[in-house]
Amino acid sequence: MDRRKQYTRMVLKESLLKLLQDKSISSITIKEICETADINRSTFYAHYANQYELLEAIEEEFIEDLTVTLGQYNFSKEDEALQMTEKLFEYLAEKSRICHTLLGENTDMYFLKKGMVITHEFIFKNWITDSRIDQETYEYINIFLVSGSIHVIKNWLENGMEKTPGEMAGVLYNFINRGLSGVQ
C-alpha cells in the first residue's frame, strides 16, 4: 500500500476514534468522519463501506498488534502467568487511548468478545490445572475470570491507570489464585 493510502486510512481511523469519545458508533455519520479527517466522502468510500467497517479495521489492527506483541513471549506455565499479565498491562498502558475508546460504551461488542478470547489464550489457557474440574465447569470458571479481568482492565483505564502495570498484574494474579482471601 502506498503512503497516501496509508495516510488516508490513518487519518480516517484517528477521526473515528476521536468521534467515538463522545458519540456511539451508530450515531456517527460518514460526513462527520470526513469532516474531522478533512477528506471527501468519495475518498472515504474508496477505503471503507461504512463507519462499522472502519471500526472493525481499527479493532482488527489493534488485536493483531496485541497478539503479535504477546506472542513474543513464551509464558505457558502457571508460574509465568503473572509475567504475561504484566506484559498485557504494559501493552494496554502504552495503548491506553485506543483501549479506552474501544472498550467504551460507544463501540460495539465485537472488541470486548475478541478481547476475551485473547485474554483466555494468553493468560488463562494454562492457569487452571486441577484435573478434578470437568470441561463444562472449566468453561464457566474461564468465562468468569476473563470477563472479570476485562472489566478490571476497563476500570483501570477509565480511572487514569493509577496503579502500575506490575501492580495491576499482581492484583489480578492474587485474586485469581487466592480469591477474596488474597485481596489485601
Side-chain angles (χ1 to χ4, degrees):
M1 186 182 320
D2 70 32
R3 277 199 241 185
R4 282 187 336 227
K5 286 182 181 180
Q6 287 177 337
Y7 174 77
T8 300
R9 288 185 179 193
M10 179 197 68
V11 170
L12 288 170
K13 289 173 185 176
E14 288 296 321
S15 297
L16 181 58
L17 287 170
K18 181 179 180 184
L19 292 166
L20 283 169
Q21 292 174 0
D22 300 317
K23 297 176 79 172
S24 70
I25 185 67
S26 61
S27 65
I28 296 173
T29 65
I30 303 304
K31 181 180 178 183
E32 289 173 304
I33 296 169
C34 293
E35 285 175 355
T36 304
D38 197 25
I39 289 175
N40 64 47
R41 291 171 62 94
S42 62
T43 302
F44 177 91
Y45 288 117
H47 296 275
Y48 302 102
N50 54 45
Q51 69 271 40
Y52 298 100
E53 188 176 292
L54 174 56
L55 176 60
E56 184 178 333
I58 293 168
E59 293 169 340
E60 287 294 329
E61 185 179 295
F62 181 86
I63 288 165
E64 183 179 316
D65 187 47
L66 175 61
T67 303
V68 167
T69 300
L70 294 179
Q72 295 173 6
Y73 306 101
N74 189 19
F75 300 134
S76 59
K77 298 178 185 161
E78 181 182 338
D79 295 340
E80 297 165 334
L82 177 61
Q83 293 171 298
M84 180 58 86
T85 306
E86 186 170 355
K87 293 295 180 194
L88 173 65
F89 274 101
E90 287 171 1
Y91 179 85
L92 297 174
E94 181 183 320
K95 307 281 185 173
S96 63
R97 182 179 155 266
I98 190 170
C99 290
H100 184 264
T101 302
L102 293 177
L103 287 172
E105 270 111 55
N106 291 331
T107 61
D108 56 12
M109 291 300 293
Y110 171 80
F111 185 72
L112 186 60
K113 289 176 185 175
K114 191 66 176 170
M116 291 177 73
V117 170
I118 291 170
T119 304
H120 168 72
E121 179 67 26
F122 286 100
I123 306 297
F124 296 114
K125 187 164 119 181
N126 298 310
W127 206 314
I128 301 170
T129 56
D130 190 334
S131 60
R132 297 172 296 171
I133 298 175
D134 64 84
Q135 186 62 34
E136 183 181 20
T137 302
Y138 171 80
E139 289 301 318
Y140 285 125
I141 292 170
N142 184 58
I143 290 168
F144 178 78
L145 293 176
V146 171
S147 297
S149 297
I150 294 286
H151 288 282
V152 166
I153 289 167
K154 184 177 176 182
N155 188 273
W156 178 66
L157 291 168
E158 287 173 353
N159 291 309
M161 302 177 297
E162 291 178 4
K163 290 187 181 286
T164 67
E167 290 170 329
M168 287 306 298
V171 167
L172 272 183
Y173 184 81
N174 286 331
F175 179 72
I176 290 166
N177 285 308
R178 296 182 185 94
L180 291 177
S181 64
V183 176
Q184 300 171 8

